[in-house]
Coordinates of all heavy atoms in Angstrom, one line a residue:
M219 N 0.8 -1.2 0.0 CA 0.0 0.0 0.0 C 0.9 1.3 0.0 O 1.8 1.3 0.7 CB -0.9 0.0 1.3 CG -1.8 -1.2 1.3 SD -3.4 -0.7 1.1 CE -4.0 -0.5 2.8
T220 N 0.5 2.2 -0.8 CA 1.2 3.4 -0.9 C 0.4 4.6 -0.6 O -0.8 4.7 -1.1 CB 1.8 3.7 -2.3 OG1 2.2 2.4 -2.9 CG2 2.9 4.6 -2.4
K221 N 0.9 5.5 0.2 CA 0.1 6.7 0.5 C 0.8 7.9 -0.3 O 2.0 8.1 -0.1 CB 0.3 7.0 2.1 CG -0.6 8.2 2.5 CD -0.7 8.1 4.0 CE -1.1 9.4 4.6 NZ -1.2 9.3 6.1
M222 N -0.1 8.5 -1.0 CA 0.4 9.6 -2.0 C -0.3 10.9 -1.7 O -1.4 11.0 -1.5 CB 0.2 9.2 -3.4 CG 0.7 7.8 -3.8 SD 0.2 7.6 -5.6 CE -1.5 7.2 -5.4
H223 N 0.5 11.9 -1.8 CA -0.1 13.2 -1.8 C -0.5 13.6 -3.3 O 0.3 13.6 -4.2 CB 1.0 14.3 -1.4 CG 0.5 15.7 -1.4 ND1 1.4 16.8 -1.7 CD2 -0.7 16.2 -1.1 CE1 0.6 17.9 -1.6 NE2 -0.6 17.5 -1.3
I224 N -1.8 13.8 -3.4 CA -2.4 13.9 -4.7 C -3.0 15.2 -5.0 O -3.6 15.5 -6.1 CB -3.4 12.8 -5.0 CG1 -4.4 12.8 -3.9 CG2 -2.7 11.5 -5.1 CD1 -5.7 12.2 -4.4
G225 N -2.9 16.2 -4.1 CA -3.5 17.5 -4.5 C -4.1 18.1 -3.2 O -3.8 17.7 -2.0
N226 N -4.9 19.1 -3.4 CA -5.6 19.8 -2.3 C -7.0 19.9 -2.5 O -7.6 20.0 -3.6 CB -5.0 21.3 -2.3 CG -5.3 22.0 -1.0 OD1 -6.4 22.5 -0.8 ND2 -4.3 22.1 -0.1
V227 N -7.8 19.9 -1.4 CA -9.3 20.0 -1.5 C -9.7 21.2 -2.3 O -10.8 21.2 -2.8 CB -10.1 20.0 -0.1 CG1 -10.2 18.6 0.4 CG2 -9.4 20.9 0.8
S228 N -9.0 22.3 -2.2 CA -9.4 23.5 -2.8 C -9.5 23.3 -4.4 O -10.2 24.1 -5.0 CB -8.5 24.6 -2.5 OG -7.1 24.3 -3.0
E229 N -8.9 22.2 -4.9 CA -9.0 22.0 -6.3 C -10.2 21.2 -6.8 O -10.4 21.0 -8.0 CB -7.7 21.1 -6.8 CG -6.4 21.9 -6.6 CD -5.3 21.0 -6.3 OE1 -5.4 19.7 -6.6 OE2 -4.1 21.4 -6.1
I230 N -11.0 20.8 -5.9 CA -12.3 20.1 -6.2 C -13.4 20.8 -5.7 O -13.5 21.1 -4.5 CB -12.3 18.6 -5.7 CG1 -10.9 17.9 -5.8 CG2 -13.3 17.8 -6.3 CD1 -10.8 16.6 -5.2
D231 N -14.4 21.1 -6.6 CA -15.6 21.8 -6.2 C -16.4 20.8 -5.3 O -16.4 19.7 -5.5 CB -16.4 22.2 -7.3 CG -15.8 23.2 -8.2 OD1 -15.0 24.0 -7.7 OD2 -16.0 23.3 -9.4
R232 N -17.2 21.4 -4.4 CA -18.2 20.5 -3.6 C -19.1 20.0 -4.7 O -19.5 20.6 -5.6 CB -19.0 21.4 -2.6 CG -18.1 21.7 -1.4 CD -18.8 22.4 -0.3 NE -17.7 22.9 0.6 CZ -17.7 22.5 1.8 NH1 -18.7 21.7 2.3 NH2 -16.8 23.0 2.6
K233 N -19.4 18.7 -4.5 CA -20.3 17.9 -5.4 C -19.5 17.7 -6.8 O -20.2 17.3 -7.7 CB -21.6 18.5 -5.6 CG -22.4 18.5 -4.3 CD -23.8 19.2 -4.5 CE -24.8 18.1 -4.7 NZ -26.1 18.6 -4.7
G234 N -18.2 18.0 -6.8 CA -17.5 17.8 -8.0 C -16.6 16.6 -7.9 O -16.5 15.9 -6.8
S235 N -15.8 16.4 -9.0 CA -14.9 15.3 -8.9 C -13.6 15.6 -9.7 O -13.4 16.6 -10.3 CB -15.5 14.1 -9.6 OG -15.7 14.3 -11.0
R236 N -12.7 14.7 -9.5 CA -11.3 14.8 -10.2 C -11.0 13.4 -10.4 O -11.2 12.5 -9.7 CB -10.3 15.4 -9.2 CG -9.5 16.4 -9.8 CD -8.3 16.8 -8.8 NE -7.2 16.0 -9.2 CZ -6.1 16.0 -8.5 NH1 -5.9 16.9 -7.6 NH2 -5.1 15.3 -9.0
T237 N -10.2 13.2 -11.5 CA -9.7 11.8 -11.7 C -8.1 11.8 -11.8 O -7.5 12.8 -12.0 CB -10.2 11.2 -13.1 OG1 -9.6 12.1 -14.1 CG2 -11.7 11.2 -13.2
L238 N -7.6 10.6 -11.4 CA -6.2 10.4 -11.6 C -5.9 8.9 -11.9 O -6.8 8.1 -11.6 CB -5.4 10.8 -10.4 CG -5.5 10.1 -9.1 CD1 -4.2 10.3 -8.3 CD2 -6.7 10.6 -8.2
R239 N -4.8 8.7 -12.5 CA -4.4 7.3 -12.9 C -3.4 6.9 -12.0 O -2.4 7.5 -11.8 CB -4.0 7.4 -14.4 CG -3.8 6.1 -15.0 CD -3.9 6.2 -16.5 NE -5.3 5.9 -17.0 CZ -5.9 4.8 -17.1 NH1 -5.3 3.6 -16.7 NH2 -7.1 4.7 -17.5
V240 N -3.7 5.8 -11.5 CA -2.6 5.1 -10.7 C -2.4 3.6 -11.2 O -3.2 2.9 -11.2 CB -3.1 5.0 -9.1 CG1 -2.0 4.3 -8.3 CG2 -3.4 6.4 -8.6
N241 N -1.1 3.4 -11.6 CA -0.8 2.2 -12.3 C -1.8 2.1 -13.5 O -1.8 3.0 -14.3 CB -0.9 1.0 -11.3 CG 0.1 1.2 -10.2 OD1 1.1 1.7 -10.3 ND2 -0.4 0.8 -9.0
D242 N -2.6 1.0 -13.6 CA -3.5 0.8 -14.7 C -4.9 1.2 -14.4 O -5.8 0.9 -15.1 CB -3.4 -0.7 -15.1 CG -2.2 -0.9 -15.9 OD1 -1.6 0.1 -16.5 OD2 -1.8 -2.1 -16.1
M243 N -5.1 1.8 -13.3 CA -6.4 2.1 -12.8 C -6.7 3.5 -12.7 O -5.9 4.4 -12.4 CB -6.6 1.5 -11.4 CG -8.1 1.4 -11.0 SD -8.2 1.1 -9.3 CE -7.3 -0.4 -9.1
E244 N -8.0 3.9 -13.2 CA -8.4 5.3 -13.0 C -9.2 5.4 -11.8 O -10.1 4.6 -11.6 CB -9.2 5.8 -14.3 CG -9.5 7.2 -14.1 CD -9.8 7.9 -15.4 OE1 -11.0 7.8 -15.9 OE2 -8.9 8.5 -16.1
I245 N -8.9 6.4 -11.0 CA -9.5 6.6 -9.7 C -10.3 7.9 -9.8 O -9.8 8.9 -10.4 CB -8.5 6.6 -8.5 CG1 -7.9 5.2 -8.4 CG2 -9.2 7.1 -7.3 CD1 -6.8 5.0 -7.4
A246 N -11.6 7.9 -9.3 CA -12.3 9.2 -9.2 C -12.4 9.6 -7.7 O -12.7 8.8 -6.8 CB -13.7 8.9 -9.7
L247 N -12.1 10.8 -7.5 CA -12.2 11.5 -6.3 C -13.4 12.4 -6.2 O -13.6 13.1 -7.2 CB -11.0 12.5 -5.9 CG -9.6 11.9 -5.7 CD1 -8.6 13.0 -5.7 CD2 -9.5 11.2 -4.3
F248 N -14.2 12.2 -5.2 CA -15.4 13.1 -5.2 C -15.3 13.9 -3.9 O -14.8 13.4 -2.8 CB -16.7 12.2 -5.1 CG -16.9 11.5 -6.4 CD1 -16.4 10.1 -6.5 CD2 -17.6 12.0 -7.4 CE1 -16.6 9.4 -7.6 CE2 -17.9 11.3 -8.5 CZ -17.3 10.0 -8.7
R249 N -15.8 15.2 -4.0 CA -15.9 16.0 -2.8 C -17.4 16.1 -2.5 O -18.2 16.7 -3.4 CB -15.3 17.3 -3.0 CG -15.2 18.1 -1.7 CD -14.3 19.3 -1.9 NE -14.3 20.2 -0.8 CZ -14.1 21.5 -0.8 NH1 -13.9 22.0 -1.9 NH2 -14.2 22.2 0.3
L250 N -17.9 15.7 -1.4 CA -19.3 15.7 -1.1 C -19.7 17.1 -0.7 O -18.9 18.0 -0.5 CB -19.6 14.8 0.0 CG -19.2 13.3 -0.1 CD1 -19.8 12.5 1.0 CD2 -19.6 12.7 -1.4
S251 N -21.0 17.4 -0.6 CA -21.5 18.7 -0.2 C -21.1 19.1 1.2 O -20.9 20.3 1.4 CB -23.0 18.9 -0.5 OG -23.6 17.8 0.2
D252 N -20.8 18.2 2.0 CA -20.3 18.5 3.4 C -18.8 18.6 3.4 O -18.2 18.8 4.5 CB -20.7 17.4 4.5 CG -20.2 16.1 4.2 OD1 -19.3 15.9 3.3 OD2 -20.5 15.1 4.9
G253 N -18.1 18.5 2.3 CA -16.7 18.7 2.2 C -15.8 17.4 2.3 O -14.7 17.5 1.9
E254 N -16.4 16.3 2.6 CA -15.7 15.1 2.8 C -15.2 14.6 1.3 O -15.9 14.8 0.3 CB -16.6 14.0 3.3 CG -15.9 12.7 3.6 CD -16.8 11.6 4.3 OE1 -18.0 11.8 4.3 OE2 -16.2 10.6 4.8
V255 N -14.0 14.1 1.3 CA -13.4 13.6 0.0 C -13.4 12.1 0.1 O -12.8 11.5 1.0 CB -12.0 14.2 -0.2 CG1 -11.5 13.7 -1.5 CG2 -12.1 15.8 -0.2
L256 N -13.9 11.4 -1.0 CA -13.9 9.9 -1.1 C -13.4 9.5 -2.4 O -13.5 10.3 -3.4 CB -15.3 9.5 -0.9 CG -16.0 9.8 0.5 CD1 -17.5 9.5 0.5 CD2 -15.3 9.0 1.6
A257 N -12.8 8.3 -2.5 CA -12.3 7.9 -3.8 C -12.8 6.4 -4.1 O -12.8 5.5 -3.2 CB -10.8 7.9 -3.7
V258 N -13.1 6.3 -5.4 CA -13.5 4.9 -5.8 C -12.8 4.7 -7.2 O -12.5 5.6 -7.9 CB -15.0 4.7 -5.9 CG1 -15.7 4.9 -4.6 CG2 -15.7 5.7 -7.0
E259 N -12.9 3.5 -7.7 CA -12.4 3.2 -9.0 C -13.5 3.9 -10.0 O -14.7 3.9 -9.8 CB -12.4 1.7 -9.4 CG -11.8 1.5 -10.7 CD -11.6 0.1 -11.1 OE1 -12.0 -0.8 -10.3 OE2 -11.1 -0.2 -12.2
N260 N -12.9 4.5 -11.0 CA -13.8 5.3 -11.9 C -14.5 4.5 -13.0 O -14.4 4.9 -14.1 CB -12.9 6.4 -12.6 CG -13.8 7.5 -13.2 OD1 -15.0 7.7 -12.9 ND2 -13.2 8.3 -14.1
K261 N -15.2 3.5 -12.5 CA -15.7 2.6 -13.5 C -17.0 1.9 -12.9 O -16.8 1.2 -11.9 CB -14.7 1.5 -13.8 CG -14.9 0.6 -15.0 CD -13.7 -0.2 -15.3 CE -14.0 -1.3 -16.1 NZ -12.8 -2.3 -16.1
C262 N -18.1 2.1 -13.4 CA -19.3 1.6 -12.9 C -19.3 0.0 -13.0 O -18.9 -0.5 -14.1 CB -20.5 2.2 -13.7 SG -22.1 1.5 -13.1
P263 N -19.7 -0.7 -12.0 CA -19.7 -2.2 -12.0 C -20.8 -2.7 -13.1 O -20.7 -3.9 -13.4 CB -20.1 -2.6 -10.6 CG -20.6 -1.4 -10.0 CD -20.1 -0.2 -10.7
H264 N -21.7 -1.9 -13.5 CA -22.7 -2.3 -14.5 C -22.0 -2.5 -15.8 O -21.7 -3.6 -16.3 CB -23.8 -1.3 -14.5 CG -24.9 -1.8 -15.5 ND1 -25.7 -0.8 -16.2 CD2 -25.4 -3.0 -15.8 CE1 -26.6 -1.5 -16.9 NE2 -26.4 -2.7 -16.7
K265 N -21.8 -1.4 -16.6 CA -21.1 -1.5 -17.9 C -20.0 -0.5 -18.1 O -19.8 -0.1 -19.2 CB -22.2 -1.3 -19.0 CG -23.2 -2.5 -18.9 CD -24.1 -2.6 -20.2 CE -24.9 -3.8 -20.2 NZ -26.0 -3.9 -21.2
G266 N -19.4 -0.2 -17.0 CA -18.1 0.6 -17.1 C -18.3 2.0 -17.3 O -17.4 2.7 -17.7
G267 N -19.5 2.6 -16.9 CA -19.7 4.0 -17.0 C -18.7 4.8 -16.2 O -18.1 4.3 -15.3
T268 N -18.4 6.0 -16.7 CA -17.4 6.9 -16.0 C -18.1 7.6 -14.9 O -18.8 8.6 -15.1 CB -16.9 7.9 -17.1 OG1 -16.4 7.1 -18.2 CG2 -15.7 8.7 -16.5
L269 N -17.8 7.0 -13.6 CA -18.5 7.6 -12.5 C -18.3 9.1 -12.2 O -19.1 9.8 -11.8 CB -18.2 6.7 -11.3 CG -18.7 5.3 -11.4 CD1 -18.2 4.5 -10.2 CD2 -20.1 5.2 -11.5
S270 N -17.0 9.5 -12.6 CA -16.6 10.9 -12.3 C -17.6 11.9 -13.0 O -17.6 13.1 -12.8 CB -15.2 11.2 -12.6 OG -15.0 10.9 -14.0
E271 N -18.3 11.4 -14.1 CA -19.2 12.3 -14.9 C -20.5 12.2 -14.4 O -21.5 12.8 -14.9 CB -19.1 11.9 -16.4 CG -17.8 12.2 -17.0 CD -17.6 11.6 -18.4 OE1 -18.6 11.0 -18.9 OE2 -16.5 11.7 -18.9
G272 N -20.8 11.4 -13.2 CA -22.1 11.3 -12.7 C -22.4 12.4 -11.7 O -21.6 13.2 -11.3
M273 N -23.6 12.4 -11.3 CA -24.1 13.4 -10.3 C -23.9 12.9 -8.9 O -24.4 11.8 -8.6 CB -25.6 13.7 -10.6 CG -26.1 14.9 -9.9 SD -27.8 15.3 -10.4 CE -28.6 13.9 -9.6
V274 N -23.3 13.8 -8.0 CA -23.2 13.4 -6.6 C -24.4 13.9 -5.9 O -24.9 15.1 -6.0 CB -21.9 14.1 -6.1 CG1 -21.9 13.9 -4.6 CG2 -20.6 13.7 -6.8
C275 N -25.0 13.0 -5.1 CA -26.1 13.3 -4.4 C -26.0 12.6 -3.0 O -25.9 11.5 -2.9 CB -27.3 12.6 -5.1 SG -28.9 13.3 -4.7
G276 N -25.9 13.5 -2.0 CA -25.5 13.0 -0.6 C -24.2 12.3 -0.7 O -23.2 12.9 -1.2
D277 N -24.0 11.1 -0.2 CA -22.8 10.4 -0.4 C -22.9 9.3 -1.5 O -22.2 8.3 -1.5 CB -22.4 9.7 1.0 CG -23.3 8.7 1.5 OD1 -24.3 8.4 0.8 OD2 -22.9 8.0 2.4
K278 N -23.7 9.5 -2.4 CA -23.9 8.6 -3.6 C -23.5 9.3 -4.9 O -23.7 10.5 -5.0 CB -25.2 8.0 -3.6 CG -25.6 7.1 -2.4 CD -26.8 6.3 -2.7 CE -27.0 5.4 -1.5 NZ -27.2 6.2 -0.2
V279 N -23.0 8.5 -5.8 CA -22.9 9.0 -7.2 C -23.9 8.3 -8.1 O -24.0 7.1 -7.9 CB -21.4 9.0 -7.7 CG1 -20.9 7.6 -7.8 CG2 -21.3 9.8 -9.0
H280 N -24.5 9.0 -9.0 CA -25.4 8.4 -9.9 C -24.6 8.1 -11.2 O -24.2 9.1 -11.8 CB -26.6 9.3 -10.3 CG -27.5 9.5 -9.1 ND1 -28.8 9.7 -9.3 CD2 -27.3 9.7 -7.8 CE1 -29.4 9.9 -8.1 NE2 -28.4 9.8 -7.2
C281 N -24.5 6.9 -11.6 CA -23.8 6.6 -12.9 C -24.5 7.4 -14.1 O -25.7 7.3 -14.2 CB -23.8 5.1 -13.2 SG -22.9 4.8 -14.7
P282 N -23.6 8.0 -14.9 CA -24.2 8.8 -16.0 C -24.8 8.0 -17.1 O -25.7 8.4 -17.9 CB -23.0 9.6 -16.6 CG -21.9 8.8 -16.1 CD -22.2 8.2 -14.8
L283 N -24.6 6.7 -17.1 CA -25.2 5.9 -18.2 C -26.6 5.3 -17.9 O -27.5 5.6 -18.7 CB -24.2 4.7 -18.5 CG -22.9 5.0 -19.2 CD1 -22.2 3.8 -19.7 CD2 -23.0 6.1 -20.3
H284 N -26.7 4.6 -16.8 CA -28.0 4.1 -16.5 C -28.5 4.4 -15.2 O -29.4 3.6 -14.6 CB -28.1 2.5 -16.8 CG -27.2 2.1 -18.1 ND1 -26.0 1.7 -18.1 CD2 -27.7 2.2 -19.3 CE1 -25.6 1.5 -19.3 NE2 -26.6 1.7 -20.1
D285 N -27.9 5.4 -14.5 CA -28.4 5.9 -13.2 C -28.3 4.8 -12.1 O -29.1 5.0 -11.1 CB -29.9 6.4 -13.4 CG -30.2 7.4 -12.3 OD1 -29.3 8.2 -12.0 OD2 -31.3 7.4 -11.8
W286 N -27.5 3.9 -12.1 CA -27.2 3.2 -10.9 C -26.6 4.1 -9.9 O -25.9 4.9 -10.2 CB -26.2 2.0 -11.1 CG -26.9 0.8 -11.8 CD1 -28.0 0.7 -12.5 CD2 -26.3 -0.6 -11.8 NE1 -28.2 -0.5 -12.9 CE2 -27.2 -1.4 -12.5 CE3 -25.1 -1.1 -11.2 CZ2 -26.9 -2.8 -12.7 CZ3 -24.9 -2.5 -11.4 CH2 -25.8 -3.3 -12.1
R287 N -26.9 3.8 -8.6 CA -26.4 4.7 -7.5 C -25.4 4.0 -6.7 O -25.6 2.8 -6.2 CB -27.6 5.1 -6.7 CG -28.4 6.2 -7.4 CD -29.9 5.9 -7.1 NE -30.5 6.5 -8.3 CZ -31.8 7.1 -8.3 NH1 -32.3 7.3 -7.2 NH2 -32.2 7.5 -9.4
I288 N -24.3 4.5 -6.6 CA -23.1 3.9 -5.9 C -22.8 4.7 -4.6 O -22.5 5.9 -4.7 CB -21.9 3.8 -6.8 CG1 -22.3 2.8 -7.8 CG2 -20.7 3.3 -6.1 CD1 -21.8 3.0 -9.2
D289 N -22.8 4.0 -3.5 CA -22.5 4.6 -2.2 C -20.9 4.8 -2.2 O -20.1 3.9 -2.3 CB -22.8 3.6 -1.1 CG -22.6 4.2 0.3 OD1 -21.5 4.7 0.5 OD2 -23.5 4.1 1.1
L290 N -20.5 6.0 -2.1 CA -19.1 6.4 -2.2 C -18.3 6.0 -0.9 O -17.1 5.9 -0.9 CB -18.9 7.8 -2.5 CG -19.4 8.3 -3.9 CD1 -19.4 9.8 -4.0 CD2 -18.6 7.6 -4.9
H291 N -19.0 5.7 0.2 CA -18.3 5.2 1.5 C -18.0 3.7 1.3 O -16.8 3.3 1.6 CB -19.1 5.5 2.7 CG -19.2 6.9 3.2 ND1 -20.2 7.7 3.1 CD2 -18.1 7.6 3.8 CE1 -19.9 8.9 3.6 NE2 -18.7 8.8 4.0
T292 N -18.9 3.0 0.8 CA -18.7 1.5 0.8 C -18.4 1.0 -0.7 O -18.0 -0.2 -0.7 CB -20.0 0.8 1.3 OG1 -21.0 1.1 0.3 CG2 -20.4 1.3 2.7
G293 N -18.8 1.7 -1.7 CA -18.5 1.3 -3.0 C -19.8 0.4 -3.5 O -19.8 0.0 -4.6
K294 N -20.7 0.2 -2.6 CA -21.8 -0.7 -2.9 C -22.9 0.0 -3.8 O -23.2 1.1 -3.6 CB -22.5 -1.3 -1.7 CG -21.7 -2.3 -1.0 CD -22.6 -3.2 -0.2 CE -21.8 -4.3 0.5 NZ -21.7 -4.1 2.0
V295 N -23.4 -0.8 -4.7 CA -24.5 -0.3 -5.6 C -25.8 -0.4 -4.8 O -26.0 -1.3 -4.0 CB -24.5 -1.2 -6.8 CG1 -25.8 -0.9 -7.7 CG2 -23.3 -1.1 -7.7
Q296 N -26.6 0.6 -4.9 CA -27.8 0.7 -4.2 C -28.8 -0.4 -4.8 O -28.9 -0.4 -6.0 CB -28.5 2.0 -4.3 CG -29.8 2.2 -3.5 CD -30.2 3.7 -3.7 OE1 -29.5 4.6 -3.1 NE2 -31.2 4.0 -4.2
E297 N -29.5 -1.1 -4.0 CA -30.5 -2.0 -4.4 C -31.6 -1.4 -5.2 O -31.8 -0.1 -4.9 CB -31.2 -2.8 -3.2 CG -30.2 -3.6 -2.5 CD -30.7 -4.4 -1.3 OE1 -31.9 -4.2 -0.9 OE2 -30.0 -5.3 -0.9
P298 N -32.4 -2.0 -6.1 CA -32.3 -3.5 -6.4 C -31.1 -3.8 -7.3 O -31.0 -5.1 -7.6 CB -33.7 -3.6 -7.2 CG -33.8 -2.3 -7.9 CD -33.3 -1.2 -7.0
D299 N -30.3 -2.9 -7.7 CA -29.1 -3.3 -8.5 C -28.0 -3.9 -7.6 O -28.1 -3.6 -6.3 CB -28.6 -2.1 -9.3 CG -29.7 -1.5 -10.1 OD1 -30.3 -2.3 -11.0 OD2 -29.9 -0.3 -10.1
T300 N -27.1 -4.6 -8.1 CA -26.1 -5.2 -7.2 C -24.7 -5.0 -7.8 O -24.5 -4.9 -9.0 CB -26.4 -6.7 -7.0 OG1 -26.4 -7.3 -8.3 CG2 -27.7 -7.0 -6.3
G301 N -23.7 -5.1 -7.0 CA -22.4 -4.9 -7.4 C -21.6 -4.0 -6.5 O -22.2 -3.4 -5.5
C302 N -20.3 -3.8 -6.7 CA -19.6 -2.8 -5.9 C -18.3 -2.4 -6.6 O -17.8 -3.1 -7.4 CB -19.5 -3.3 -4.5 SG -18.0 -4.1 -4.1
V303 N -17.8 -1.2 -6.3 CA -16.6 -0.8 -6.9 C -15.6 -0.7 -5.8 O -16.0 -0.4 -4.7 CB -16.8 0.7 -7.5 CG1 -17.3 0.6 -8.8 CG2 -17.4 1.6 -6.6
P304 N -14.3 -0.9 -6.0 CA -13.3 -0.7 -5.0 C -13.2 0.8 -4.5 O -13.4 1.7 -5.3 CB -12.0 -1.0 -5.8 CG -12.4 -1.7 -7.1 CD -13.7 -1.3 -7.4
T305 N -13.0 0.8 -3.2 CA -12.9 2.2 -2.6 C -11.5 2.3 -2.2 O -10.8 1.3 -1.9 CB -13.9 2.3 -1.4 OG1 -13.6 1.3 -0.5 CG2 -15.3 2.2 -1.8
F306 N -11.1 3.6 -2.0 CA -9.7 3.8 -1.5 C -9.7 4.9 -0.4 O -10.6 5.7 -0.3 CB -8.8 4.4 -2.7 CG -8.8 3.4 -3.8 CD1 -9.7 3.6 -4.9 CD2 -7.9 2.4 -3.9 CE1 -9.7 2.8 -5.9 CE2 -7.9 1.5 -5.0 CZ -8.8 1.7 -6.0
E307 N -8.8 4.6 0.5 CA -8.7 5.4 1.7 C -8.2 6.8 1.4 O -7.1 7.0 0.7 CB -7.7 4.8 2.7 CG -7.8 5.4 4.1 CD -6.8 4.8 5.0 OE1 -6.6 3.5 4.9 OE2 -6.3 5.5 5.8
V308 N -8.9 7.8 1.9 CA -8.5 9.3 1.6 C -8.4 10.0 2.9 O -9.2 9.8 3.8 CB -9.5 10.0 0.8 CG1 -9.2 11.5 0.6 CG2 -9.7 9.3 -0.6
E309 N -7.3 10.7 3.0 CA -7.1 11.6 4.3 C -6.9 13.0 3.8 O -6.2 13.2 2.8 CB -5.9 11.1 5.1 CG -6.1 9.9 6.0 CD -4.7 9.5 6.5 OE1 -4.0 10.3 7.1 OE2 -4.4 8.4 6.2
V310 N -7.5 13.9 4.5 CA -7.4 15.3 4.2 C -6.8 15.9 5.4 O -7.3 15.8 6.5 CB -8.7 16.0 3.9 CG1 -8.5 17.5 3.6 CG2 -9.3 15.3 2.6
D311 N -5.7 16.6 5.2 CA -5.0 17.3 6.3 C -5.9 18.6 6.7 O -6.1 19.4 5.9 CB -3.6 17.8 5.9 CG -2.8 18.5 7.0 OD1 -3.5 19.2 7.8 OD2 -1.6 18.2 7.1
P312 N -6.5 18.6 7.8 CA -7.4 19.7 8.2 C -6.7 21.0 8.2 O -7.4 22.1 7.9 CB -7.9 19.4 9.6 CG -7.0 18.3 10.2 CD -6.3 17.7 9.0
A313 N -5.4 21.1 8.4 CA -4.7 22.4 8.5 C -4.5 23.0 7.0 O -4.7 24.2 6.8 CB -3.5 22.3 9.2
T314 N -4.1 22.0 6.2 CA -3.6 22.6 4.8 C -4.5 22.2 3.7 O -4.4 22.7 2.6 CB -2.2 21.9 4.5 OG1 -2.4 20.5 4.4 CG2 -1.2 22.2 5.5
G315 N -5.4 21.2 3.9 CA -6.3 20.8 2.9 C -5.6 19.8 1.9 O -6.2 19.4 0.9
A316 N -4.4 19.4 2.3 CA -3.7 18.4 1.4 C -4.5 17.1 1.4 O -4.9 16.6 2.5 CB -2.2 18.2 1.9
I317 N -4.5 16.5 0.3 CA -5.2 15.2 0.2 C -4.2 14.0 0.0 O -3.3 14.1 -0.9 CB -6.2 15.1 -1.1 CG1 -7.2 16.3 -1.1 CG2 -6.9 13.8 -1.2 CD1 -8.0 16.4 -2.4
Y318 N -4.4 13.1 0.8 CA -3.5 11.8 0.6 C -4.4 10.6 0.3 O -5.4 10.4 0.9 CB -2.8 11.5 2.0 CG -1.9 12.7 2.3 CD1 -2.3 13.7 3.2 CD2 -0.6 12.7 1.9 CE1 -1.5 14.8 3.5 CE2 0.3 13.8 2.3 CZ -0.2 14.8 3.1 OH 0.6 15.8 3.4
L319 N -4.0 9.9 -0.7 CA -4.7 8.7 -1.2 C -3.8 7.5 -0.9 O -2.7 7.5 -1.2 CB -4.9 8.9 -2.6 CG -5.7 7.7 -3.3 CD1 -7.1 7.7 -3.0 CD2 -5.5 7.8 -4.8
T320 N -4.4 6.5 -0.3 CA -3.7 5.2 -0.1 C -4.3 4.1 -1.1 O -5.5 3.9 -1.2 CB -3.9 4.7 1.3 OG1 -3.6 5.7 2.2 CG2 -3.2 3.4 1.6
V321 N -3.4 3.6 -1.9 CA -3.7 2.6 -2.9 C -2.9 1.4 -2.8 O -1.7 1.5 -2.3 CB -3.7 3.1 -4.4 CG1 -4.8 4.0 -4.7 CG2 -2.3 3.7 -4.7
Ligands
FES286 S1 -22.8 1.6 -16.7 FE1 -23.3 2.5 -14.8 S2 -25.4 2.1 -14.6 FE2 -25.0 1.1 -16.5

């Protein structure tokens, strides 16, 4: 596991996202309306939709392709659909806003 400094919270709008590539995987970082930052693989478990282009609603993102809802804390798809995406640990330094991602 590697912990990396990947940017600052000020670079992501609330309810917005950012993507980054780590090894062969694309990761989507989301900033919720309460300011929390969460990270999941940027690929819907249904048919590979780009989650970073979806709408953030509470702590869920709606896949832009067929509207599956994915819980950004657990990576789980909301029922009645099933599946889950990998999640990654994110820490934000409260003093500086620096974001650290563990992959
Ligand atoms: S690809 Fe995400 S809901 Fe179908």
Side-chain angles (χ1 to χ4, degrees):
M219 298 251 265
T220 321
K221 185 167 161 178
M222 304 178 286
H223 177 215
I224 53 155
N226 193 283
V227 278
S228 62
E229 297 157 3
I230 315 177
D231 292 335
R232 282 180 195 247
K233 302 179 89 170
S235 68
R236 227 192 92 178
T237 61
L238 71 152
R239 188 157 271 282
V240 179
N241 304 323
D242 282 340
M243 196 190 304
E244 187 161 85
I245 294 178
L247 287 170
F248 293 92
R249 189 170 173 210
L250 306 187
S251 51
D252 67 3
E254 187 175 14
V255 178
L256 296 168
V258 300
E259 185 177 2
N260 194 17
K261 196 171 160 191
C262 179
H264 181 216
K265 293 196 172 164
T268 305
L269 297 177
S270 59
E271 292 169 5
M273 192 175 69
V274 176
C275 200
D277 67 352
K278 297 194 172 60
V279 63
H280 294 215
C281 178
L283 290 192
H284 317 96
D285 205 40
W286 278 22
R287 286 142 209 215
I288 290 144
D289 185 311
L290 294 170
H291 281 109
T292 63
K294 285 209 176 106
V295 172
Q296 182 175 295
E297 291 181 354
D299 303 309
T300 56
C302 96
V303 283
T305 58
F306 301 94
E307 190 183 326
V308 177
E309 279 171 55
V310 177
D311 183 324
T314 62
I317 304 174
Y318 298 91
L319 177 75
T320 303
V321 287

